Amino acid sequence: MAPMSARNPETETTHRAGFACFVGRPNAGKSTLTNALVGQKVAITSNRPQTTRHTVRGIVHRPDAQLILVDTPGLHKPRTLLGERLNDVVRTTWAEVDVIGFCLPANEKLGPGDRFIAQELAEIKKTPKVAIVTKTDLVDSKTLAEQLIAIDRLGQELGMEWQEIVPVSAVGDRQVSLVADLLVPLLPEGPALYPEGDLTDEPEQVMVAELIREAALEGVRDELPHSIAVVVEEMLPRENRPADKPLLDIHANVFIERPSQKGIIIGPKGKRLKEVGTKSRKHIEALLGTPVFLDLHVKVAKDWQRDPKQLRRLGF
């Protein structure tokens, strides 16, 4: 590095802008970390694996940089056409970003899934890779140290150099800003790619559908999460409302694969669906900054995960 006196003053204020992608097994904390870095909910989170289905871009604005985070679905062994398409989304994204963050939970030993992803990453020679050890609030210092050593060894075994290995807790807000500090220098120099204030480039309708799906995922049986899809059919301001009391009407359909699943989503006397509506409405109102009337209907789209026509209709 050049001595301070020899540095060009312009290099001190170099602005960088580019794309970073978080990858990892399902439920590795990618979406939670994205939200923590952006400072607002832009990706849905759930304790159910395989929650993310779209690449959600979260935008981190800094005086020296604009870091655009691409939150991909977890790479996994696909059992359905939907699974295959999600994996294709991941690989396409890897090929297009400036830096890859590999998320590995601190509270789970490295397994075949992690090794599978690491082997795929090792094939991408030019893109720098940062290992991000998530969920550090769930382990003691000894377990964390063992995980850091294991991740370092994994890179060595595969002939892959980690630019950094950084422990983080998005929930406990530990070292979240450090992740951004380490990713920014790996971005290309250039002007901001999005206007100041933009936090995501996801269409509002997609984000609203995702918030409804997140609420619907809570408390359902293990076999149901993959079977739920949400489509927002209509978002319209209620007519003839006073200017100081606007109301947005949102009509959405929650799709499941079999008639037997309908009762699980609706619940006894419609109680569960009402809870889904109440919970998601709060998040939607916070997102859009306006009161909302949410009209939810549950519909069956038979075996939609395996049907190309249904997948297209549901946005995959």
Side-chain angles (χ1 to χ4, degrees), residues 184-205:
V184 162
L186 302 171
L187 303 177
E189 293 179 17
L193 301 169
Y194 288 88
E196 183 72 37
D198 282 12
L199 298 180
T200 181
D201 67 353
E202 278 283 281
E204 283 182 346
Q205 255 176 265

PDB file of all heavy atoms in Angstrom, residues 184-205:
ATOM      1  N   VAL A 184     -17.494  -4.317   0.473  1.00  0.00           N
ATOM      2  CA  VAL A 184     -17.382  -3.105  -0.365  1.00  0.00           C
ATOM      3  C   VAL A 184     -16.061  -3.021  -1.143  1.00  0.00           C
ATOM      4  O   VAL A 184     -16.072  -2.734  -2.344  1.00  0.00           O
ATOM      5  CB  VAL A 184     -17.633  -1.836   0.477  1.00  0.00           C
ATOM      6  CG1 VAL A 184     -17.105  -0.576  -0.223  1.00  0.00           C
ATOM      7  CG2 VAL A 184     -19.121  -1.686   0.756  1.00  0.00           C
ATOM      8  N   PRO A 185     -14.896  -3.269  -0.524  1.00  0.00           N
ATOM      9  CA  PRO A 185     -13.641  -3.157  -1.293  1.00  0.00           C
ATOM     10  C   PRO A 185     -13.536  -4.142  -2.455  1.00  0.00           C
ATOM     11  O   PRO A 185     -12.696  -3.974  -3.343  1.00  0.00           O
ATOM     12  CB  PRO A 185     -12.554  -3.451  -0.248  1.00  0.00           C
ATOM     13  CG  PRO A 185     -13.197  -3.209   1.072  1.00  0.00           C
ATOM     14  CD  PRO A 185     -14.630  -3.570   0.894  1.00  0.00           C
ATOM     15  N   LEU A 186     -14.377  -5.174  -2.457  1.00  0.00           N
ATOM     16  CA  LEU A 186     -14.335  -6.176  -3.523  1.00  0.00           C
ATOM     17  C   LEU A 186     -15.242  -5.805  -4.705  1.00  0.00           C
ATOM     18  O   LEU A 186     -15.306  -6.520  -5.702  1.00  0.00           O
ATOM     19  CB  LEU A 186     -14.756  -7.547  -2.970  1.00  0.00           C
ATOM     20  CG  LEU A 186     -13.889  -8.063  -1.803  1.00  0.00           C
ATOM     21  CD1 LEU A 186     -14.507  -9.306  -1.187  1.00  0.00           C
ATOM     22  CD2 LEU A 186     -12.463  -8.348  -2.266  1.00  0.00           C
ATOM     23  N   LEU A 187     -15.949  -4.665  -4.592  1.00  0.00           N
ATOM     24  CA  LEU A 187     -16.826  -4.194  -5.666  1.00  0.00           C
ATOM     25  C   LEU A 187     -16.036  -3.333  -6.642  1.00  0.00           C
ATOM     26  O   LEU A 187     -15.041  -2.708  -6.270  1.00  0.00           O
ATOM     27  CB  LEU A 187     -17.978  -3.361  -5.092  1.00  0.00           C
ATOM     28  CG  LEU A 187     -18.871  -4.020  -4.044  1.00  0.00           C
ATOM     29  CD1 LEU A 187     -19.912  -3.011  -3.548  1.00  0.00           C
ATOM     30  CD2 LEU A 187     -19.544  -5.267  -4.600  1.00  0.00           C
ATOM     31  N   PRO A 188     -16.491  -3.254  -7.891  1.00  0.00           N
ATOM     32  CA  PRO A 188     -15.809  -2.369  -8.853  1.00  0.00           C
ATOM     33  C   PRO A 188     -16.080  -0.898  -8.545  1.00  0.00           C
ATOM     34  O   PRO A 188     -17.101  -0.555  -7.947  1.00  0.00           O
ATOM     35  CB  PRO A 188     -16.437  -2.766 -10.198  1.00  0.00           C
ATOM     36  CG  PRO A 188     -17.751  -3.382  -9.857  1.00  0.00           C
ATOM     37  CD  PRO A 188     -17.599  -4.001  -8.499  1.00  0.00           C
ATOM     38  N   GLU A 189     -15.149  -0.040  -8.961  1.00  0.00           N
ATOM     39  CA  GLU A 189     -15.378   1.397  -8.821  1.00  0.00           C
ATOM     40  C   GLU A 189     -16.479   1.816  -9.789  1.00  0.00           C
ATOM     41  O   GLU A 189     -16.581   1.290 -10.900  1.00  0.00           O
ATOM     42  CB  GLU A 189     -14.093   2.168  -9.132  1.00  0.00           C
ATOM     43  CG  GLU A 189     -12.999   1.939  -8.110  1.00  0.00           C
ATOM     44  CD  GLU A 189     -11.723   2.702  -8.447  1.00  0.00           C
ATOM     45  OE1 GLU A 189     -11.809   3.636  -9.263  1.00  0.00           O
ATOM     46  OE2 GLU A 189     -10.671   2.354  -7.899  1.00  0.00           O
ATOM     47  N   GLY A 190     -17.297   2.783  -9.353  1.00  0.00           N
ATOM     48  CA  GLY A 190     -18.352   3.264 -10.237  1.00  0.00           C
ATOM     49  C   GLY A 190     -19.409   4.024  -9.467  1.00  0.00           C
ATOM     50  O   GLY A 190     -19.444   3.986  -8.234  1.00  0.00           O
ATOM     51  N   PRO A 191     -20.278   4.737 -10.190  1.00  0.00           N
ATOM     52  CA  PRO A 191     -21.335   5.510  -9.543  1.00  0.00           C
ATOM     53  C   PRO A 191     -22.452   4.609  -9.018  1.00  0.00           C
ATOM     54  O   PRO A 191     -22.519   3.424  -9.368  1.00  0.00           O
ATOM     55  CB  PRO A 191     -21.859   6.399 -10.682  1.00  0.00           C
ATOM     56  CG  PRO A 191     -21.594   5.599 -11.922  1.00  0.00           C
ATOM     57  CD  PRO A 191     -20.338   4.830 -11.655  1.00  0.00           C
ATOM     58  N   ALA A 192     -23.322   5.177  -8.202  1.00  0.00           N
ATOM     59  CA  ALA A 192     -24.467   4.425  -7.675  1.00  0.00           C
ATOM     60  C   ALA A 192     -25.342   3.918  -8.819  1.00  0.00           C
ATOM     61  O   ALA A 192     -25.508   4.585  -9.837  1.00  0.00           O
ATOM     62  CB  ALA A 192     -25.279   5.321  -6.741  1.00  0.00           C
ATOM     63  N   LEU A 193     -25.891   2.726  -8.648  1.00  0.00           N
ATOM     64  CA  LEU A 193     -26.719   2.100  -9.688  1.00  0.00           C
ATOM     65  C   LEU A 193     -28.214   2.289  -9.419  1.00  0.00           C
ATOM     66  O   LEU A 193     -29.031   2.095 -10.311  1.00  0.00           O
ATOM     67  CB  LEU A 193     -26.390   0.606  -9.772  1.00  0.00           C
ATOM     68  CG  LEU A 193     -24.926   0.281 -10.086  1.00  0.00           C
ATOM     69  CD1 LEU A 193     -24.646  -1.204  -9.894  1.00  0.00           C
ATOM     70  CD2 LEU A 193     -24.569   0.693 -11.508  1.00  0.00           C
ATOM     71  N   TYR A 194     -28.564   2.652  -8.190  1.00  0.00           N
ATOM     72  CA  TYR A 194     -29.965   2.889  -7.821  1.00  0.00           C
ATOM     73  C   TYR A 194     -30.080   4.238  -7.136  1.00  0.00           C
ATOM     74  O   TYR A 194     -29.128   4.691  -6.483  1.00  0.00           O
ATOM     75  CB  TYR A 194     -30.458   1.798  -6.857  1.00  0.00           C
ATOM     76  CG  TYR A 194     -30.672   0.451  -7.506  1.00  0.00           C
ATOM     77  CD1 TYR A 194     -29.631  -0.473  -7.605  1.00  0.00           C
ATOM     78  CD2 TYR A 194     -31.912   0.097  -8.015  1.00  0.00           C
ATOM     79  CE1 TYR A 194     -29.824  -1.706  -8.201  1.00  0.00           C
ATOM     80  CE2 TYR A 194     -32.120  -1.146  -8.614  1.00  0.00           C
ATOM     81  CZ  TYR A 194     -31.076  -2.045  -8.694  1.00  0.00           C
ATOM     82  OH  TYR A 194     -31.263  -3.264  -9.284  1.00  0.00           O
ATOM     83  N   PRO A 195     -31.244   4.904  -7.232  1.00  0.00           N
ATOM     84  CA  PRO A 195     -31.427   6.196  -6.567  1.00  0.00           C
ATOM     85  C   PRO A 195     -31.310   6.074  -5.053  1.00  0.00           C
ATOM     86  O   PRO A 195     -31.665   5.034  -4.478  1.00  0.00           O
ATOM     87  CB  PRO A 195     -32.859   6.601  -6.962  1.00  0.00           C
ATOM     88  CG  PRO A 195     -33.212   5.759  -8.134  1.00  0.00           C
ATOM     89  CD  PRO A 195     -32.425   4.492  -8.007  1.00  0.00           C
ATOM     90  N   GLU A 196     -30.812   7.124  -4.421  1.00  0.00           N
ATOM     91  CA  GLU A 196     -30.745   7.199  -2.956  1.00  0.00           C
ATOM     92  C   GLU A 196     -32.137   6.966  -2.390  1.00  0.00           C
ATOM     93  O   GLU A 196     -33.122   7.499  -2.877  1.00  0.00           O
ATOM     94  CB  GLU A 196     -30.243   8.592  -2.545  1.00  0.00           C
ATOM     95  CG  GLU A 196     -30.054   8.776  -1.052  1.00  0.00           C
ATOM     96  CD  GLU A 196     -28.860   8.018  -0.498  1.00  0.00           C
ATOM     97  OE1 GLU A 196     -27.827   7.940  -1.198  1.00  0.00           O
ATOM     98  OE2 GLU A 196     -28.975   7.518   0.630  1.00  0.00           O
ATOM     99  N   GLY A 197     -32.226   6.136  -1.364  1.00  0.00           N
ATOM    100  CA  GLY A 197     -33.539   5.887  -0.753  1.00  0.00           C
ATOM    101  C   GLY A 197     -34.176   4.583  -1.197  1.00  0.00           C
ATOM    102  O   GLY A 197     -34.998   4.012  -0.489  1.00  0.00           O
ATOM    103  N   ASP A 198     -33.827   4.088  -2.397  1.00  0.00           N
ATOM    104  CA  ASP A 198     -34.357   2.784  -2.836  1.00  0.00           C
ATOM    105  C   ASP A 198     -33.722   1.685  -1.988  1.00  0.00           C
ATOM    106  O   ASP A 198     -32.497   1.638  -1.848  1.00  0.00           O
ATOM    107  CB  ASP A 198     -34.021   2.520  -4.312  1.00  0.00           C
ATOM    108  CG  ASP A 198     -34.938   3.272  -5.258  1.00  0.00           C
ATOM    109  OD1 ASP A 198     -35.668   4.162  -4.778  1.00  0.00           O
ATOM    110  OD2 ASP A 198     -34.917   2.977  -6.474  1.00  0.00           O
ATOM    111  N   LEU A 199     -34.550   0.789  -1.444  1.00  0.00           N
ATOM    112  CA  LEU A 199     -34.019  -0.295  -0.613  1.00  0.00           C
ATOM    113  C   LEU A 199     -34.105  -1.658  -1.306  1.00  0.00           C
ATOM    114  O   LEU A 199     -33.491  -2.620  -0.892  1.00  0.00           O
ATOM    115  CB  LEU A 199     -34.760  -0.352   0.723  1.00  0.00           C
ATOM    116  CG  LEU A 199     -34.629   0.904   1.597  1.00  0.00           C
ATOM    117  CD1 LEU A 199     -35.404   0.734   2.892  1.00  0.00           C
ATOM    118  CD2 LEU A 199     -33.168   1.221   1.895  1.00  0.00           C
ATOM    119  N   THR A 200     -34.897  -1.727  -2.370  1.00  0.00           N
ATOM    120  CA  THR A 200     -35.023  -2.974  -3.126  1.00  0.00           C
ATOM    121  C   THR A 200     -35.581  -2.646  -4.503  1.00  0.00           C
ATOM    122  O   THR A 200     -36.167  -1.574  -4.689  1.00  0.00           O
ATOM    123  CB  THR A 200     -35.963  -3.980  -2.413  1.00  0.00           C
ATOM    124  OG1 THR A 200     -36.041  -5.188  -3.177  1.00  0.00           O
ATOM    125  CG2 THR A 200     -37.357  -3.412  -2.230  1.00  0.00           C
ATOM    126  N   ASP A 201     -35.390  -3.562  -5.458  1.00  0.00           N
ATOM    127  CA  ASP A 201     -36.016  -3.339  -6.765  1.00  0.00           C
ATOM    128  C   ASP A 201     -37.140  -4.337  -7.011  1.00  0.00           C
ATOM    129  O   ASP A 201     -37.634  -4.483  -8.118  1.00  0.00           O
ATOM    130  CB  ASP A 201     -34.979  -3.400  -7.900  1.00  0.00           C
ATOM    131  CG  ASP A 201     -34.402  -4.796  -8.091  1.00  0.00           C
ATOM    132  OD1 ASP A 201     -34.703  -5.680  -7.259  1.00  0.00           O
ATOM    133  OD2 ASP A 201     -33.658  -5.012  -9.048  1.00  0.00           O
ATOM    134  N   GLU A 202     -37.550  -5.018  -5.941  1.00  0.00           N
ATOM    135  CA  GLU A 202     -38.682  -5.931  -6.060  1.00  0.00           C
ATOM    136  C   GLU A 202     -39.969  -5.141  -6.264  1.00  0.00           C
ATOM    137  O   GLU A 202     -40.222  -4.168  -5.542  1.00  0.00           O
ATOM    138  CB  GLU A 202     -38.825  -6.761  -4.777  1.00  0.00           C
ATOM    139  CG  GLU A 202     -37.922  -7.952  -4.712  1.00  0.00           C
ATOM    140  CD  GLU A 202     -38.419  -9.093  -5.582  1.00  0.00           C
ATOM    141  OE1 GLU A 202     -39.335  -9.811  -5.191  1.00  0.00           O
ATOM    142  OE2 GLU A 202     -37.866  -9.251  -6.680  1.00  0.00           O
ATOM    143  N   PRO A 203     -40.833  -5.529  -7.208  1.00  0.00           N
ATOM    144  CA  PRO A 203     -42.125  -4.861  -7.339  1.00  0.00           C
ATOM    145  C   PRO A 203     -42.939  -5.001  -6.048  1.00  0.00           C
ATOM    146  O   PRO A 203     -42.856  -6.025  -5.367  1.00  0.00           O
ATOM    147  CB  PRO A 203     -42.806  -5.634  -8.483  1.00  0.00           C
ATOM    148  CG  PRO A 203     -41.715  -6.350  -9.195  1.00  0.00           C
ATOM    149  CD  PRO A 203     -40.645  -6.608  -8.176  1.00  0.00           C
ATOM    150  N   GLU A 204     -43.706  -3.954  -5.722  1.00  0.00           N
ATOM    151  CA  GLU A 204     -44.479  -3.970  -4.474  1.00  0.00           C
ATOM    152  C   GLU A 204     -45.405  -5.185  -4.397  1.00  0.00           C
ATOM    153  O   GLU A 204     -45.567  -5.783  -3.339  1.00  0.00           O
ATOM    154  CB  GLU A 204     -45.303  -2.681  -4.341  1.00  0.00           C
ATOM    155  CG  GLU A 204     -44.454  -1.491  -3.917  1.00  0.00           C
ATOM    156  CD  GLU A 204     -45.262  -0.212  -3.733  1.00  0.00           C
ATOM    157  OE1 GLU A 204     -46.432  -0.178  -4.181  1.00  0.00           O
ATOM    158  OE2 GLU A 204     -44.723   0.731  -3.140  1.00  0.00           O
ATOM    159  N   GLN A 205     -46.016  -5.559  -5.536  1.00  0.00           N
ATOM    160  CA  GLN A 205     -46.951  -6.683  -5.517  1.00  0.00           C
ATOM    161  C   GLN A 205     -46.262  -7.985  -5.126  1.00  0.00           C
ATOM    162  O   GLN A 205     -46.821  -8.803  -4.396  1.00  0.00           O
ATOM    163  CB  GLN A 205     -47.626  -6.834  -6.887  1.00  0.00           C
ATOM    164  CG  GLN A 205     -49.057  -6.325  -6.832  1.00  0.00           C
ATOM    165  CD  GLN A 205     -49.762  -6.359  -8.163  1.00  0.00           C
ATOM    166  OE1 GLN A 205     -49.778  -5.363  -8.837  1.00  0.00           O
ATOM    167  NE2 GLN A 205     -50.348  -7.478  -8.516  1.00  0.00           N
TER     168      GLN A 205
END
